[in-house]
Amino acid sequence: MKQSVISALIISAIGVTAVVIGGVVLDVLLLAIATIGLYEFYGAFAKKGHSPIKIFGLVYIALFALMLFLNGESYMTILLNTKAHGTINLFPPIFIISLMALLAVIVFQFEKYNIVDIAITLFGGFYVVLLLSYFVRLRDLSGGIYLFLIALVGAVATDTFAFFIGKKFGKRKLLPSVSPKKTVAGSVGGFVGNSILITAIGAVLIYTEVYTGMAIYHYPIIGALTGIVAQIGDLVASAIKRYAGVKDFGKIIPGHGGILDRIDSYIFTVPVVYYYLLLFGIGGVLK
């Protein structure tokens, strides 16, 4: 437990520092997380007996690097400006060509790979890299440093409240076939506790005029949304690990497991917060 807490504090300090500094520091950290996380994902399925084409993961990482360092809008819309053709969305042709190449693998390497291996390879890119791309989109908004931290707090707070309330009051299991330790009381406690905390943070930000770009009534809604999706993200990761027959995705973080074990909730809360802001034109998302 002590090791887990120390690791969590160190990781949180690194993450918050990178978010505050932003720029290349955040880009490099996210690229490292994406690379490690993607290969943890492939590794889990490899232990199950599947053969994801790990080398193909470099395509996703390259697309992510283009987004980070060439200021593309997102993993799905990497743009190239040319005088002859104007603005070109590079993602569709790259994705389609890559998909065709992957499908060709099961023709020329039929005895080594099958359609399930191809599906796992593709899914890993979307589950890990695509969802991580929204970290950049959220951070780059007007007031993004506060909006990003709120999304991260939503994941951390939900998990923390769920753990302690579940440990104290939890009796009825939530989804024992997926995650035996999670309880209904913990789930409700995580949702309620996070909603209250996010609302309180919003009140402080507005009262102190540190960030006034979002009306107070948005905070409890974001708290409720992140309180739900953070738990879904955690359960999704648990279901994947349960299927693959692994306890953790990796061992890089003492007391926590792998990168994906640490960010499984974050990669759900950040995109949801981003699209909530998009819906209401907060942070300069809509003109």
Side-chain angles (χ1 to χ4, degrees), residues 4-65:
S4 178
V5 172
I6 292 173
S7 295
L9 291 174
I10 293 173
I11 293 169
S12 297
I14 294 173
V16 171
T17 300
V19 172
V20 172
I21 296 174
V24 175
V25 173
L26 181 60
D27 291 349
V28 170
L29 178 61
L30 289 175
L31 192 60
I33 290 173
T35 304
I36 297 169
L38 184 59
Y39 284 90
E40 285 180 349
F41 180 87
Y42 289 154
F45 281 94
K47 291 178 182 178
K48 179 68 176 178
H50 298 293
S51 299
I53 306 173
K54 295 181 181 180
I55 191 66
F56 187 81
L58 294 175
V59 174
Y60 295 115
I61 300 304
L63 288 172
F64 194 36

Side-chain angles (χ1 to χ4, degrees), residues 26 30 33 64 67 130-140 148 152 263 266-271:
L26 181 60
L30 289 175
I33 290 173
F64 194 36
M67 170 200 159
L130 172 60
L131 294 181
L132 268 173
S133 76
Y134 286 93
F135 283 47
V136 182
R137 300 194 77 174
L138 185 57
R139 174 61 180 83
D140 286 346
F148 191 8
L152 297 186
I263 67 169
Y266 303 155
I267 59 176
F268 272 58
T269 59
V270 171

Side-chain angles (χ1 to χ4, degrees), residues 61-279:
I61 300 304
L63 288 172
F64 194 36
L66 282 173
M67 170 200 159
L68 292 171
F69 300 112
L70 298 182
N71 298 316
E73 290 186 357
S74 77
Y75 180 63
M76 291 294 288
T77 56
I78 296 170
L79 305 177
L80 175 65
N81 292 313
T82 64
K83 292 182 179 179
H85 301 95
T87 299
I88 301 173
N89 185 344
L90 292 179
F91 185 85
I94 292 174
F95 178 78
I96 291 171
I97 292 170
S98 300
L99 176 60
M100 289 178 178
L102 273 175
L103 292 174
V105 169
I106 62 176
V107 175
F108 297 103
Q109 296 286 324
F110 185 76
E111 295 181 356
K112 186 175 181 180
Y113 301 106
N114 57 48
I115 193 64
V116 176
D117 300 324
I118 303 303
I120 292 169
T121 303
L122 289 170
F123 178 56
F126 283 92
Y127 177 66
V128 181
V129 188
L130 172 60
L131 294 181
L132 268 173
S133 76
Y134 286 93
F135 283 47
V136 182
R137 300 194 77 174
L138 185 57
R139 174 61 180 83
D140 286 346
L141 296 179
S142 175
I145 183 172
Y146 305 108
L147 299 170
F148 191 8
L149 290 175
I150 286 168
L152 297 186
V153 168
V156 175
T158 299
D159 183 57
T160 303
F161 281 115
F163 175 78
F164 286 106
I165 293 176
K167 189 174 182 180
K168 181 70 175 179
F169 303 104
K171 294 181 180 179
R172 183 180 176 182
K173 300 298 182 182
L174 181 64
L175 288 170
S177 61
V178 175
S179 186
K181 294 183 179 181
K182 288 182 171 55
T183 64
V184 173
S187 178
V188 173
F191 172 80
V192 174
N194 178 63
S195 299
I196 294 172
L197 179 60
I198 294 295
T199 304
I201 291 173
V204 171
L205 289 175
I206 293 172
Y207 179 76
T208 57
E209 297 186 349
V210 170
Y211 175 68
T212 58
M214 185 163 62
I216 186 63
Y217 62 83
H218 288 293
Y219 288 94
I221 298 173
I222 289 176
L225 287 173
T226 54
I228 294 171
V229 298
Q231 297 187 60
I232 294 174
D234 193 1
L235 290 168
V236 166
S238 295
I240 292 172
K241 289 184 286 186
R242 177 74 62 170
Y243 170 79
V246 297
K247 182 178 181 295
D248 297 310
F249 280 109
K251 299 179 180 179
I252 194 171
I253 306 174
H256 289 269
I259 288 291
L260 286 183
D261 297 295
R262 183 65 267 173
I263 67 169
D264 54 7
S265 297
Y266 303 155
I267 59 176
F268 272 58
T269 59
V270 171
V272 166
V273 170
Y274 176 81
Y275 279 111
Y276 178 86
L277 300 174
L278 177 72
L279 179 64

